Amino acid sequence: MTEEKQYLRSADVSGLAFEGGRNYQFHLPASIPVCNFWSVIVYDNETRLIIHTDQSWPSVHSQSRKLKVNYDGSVDIRFGPMPPASEEENW
């Protein structure tokens, strides 16, 4: 049996509430066990529903085919109104 963990984050490292018009980065370390699946999904704080975007599914996960992995095996997930240049896979 595998252990499931869920994390909820509604503020940045400074303690300020996330704002839809700003850009953010979430760093996942390389030490996440390969056999485990991870997924990052963005929800609307007011409705508690998955946000509506032009993406078919507003998430990034470990099974994403085009996921960009850093040289050390870590992954940087980007959030914001528009994807940074050449970072669409992790946005």
Side-chain angles (χ1 to χ4, degrees), residues 26-60:
F26 180 57
H27 181 79
L28 297 169
S31 59
I32 296 174
V34 174
C35 64
N36 293 339
F37 170 82
W38 59 261
S39 177
V40 177
I41 303 172
V42 179
Y43 291 88
D44 183 293
N45 197 37
E46 292 181 18
T47 65
R48 304 288 193 233
L49 299 172
I50 296 172
I51 62 167
H52 176 72
T53 70
D54 292 338
Q55 293 173 287
S56 59
W57 188 252
S59 71
V60 175

Side-chain angles (χ1 to χ4, degrees), residues 38 60 64-71 73-77 85-90:
W38 59 261
V60 175
S64 298
R65 291 182 183 173
K66 296 182 180 180
L67 184 69
K68 282 190 166 181
V69 178
N70 298 325
Y71 69 92
S74 65
V75 176
D76 294 317
I77 308 299
S86 72
E87 294 289 331
E88 293 88 2
E89 297 84 1
N90 292 29

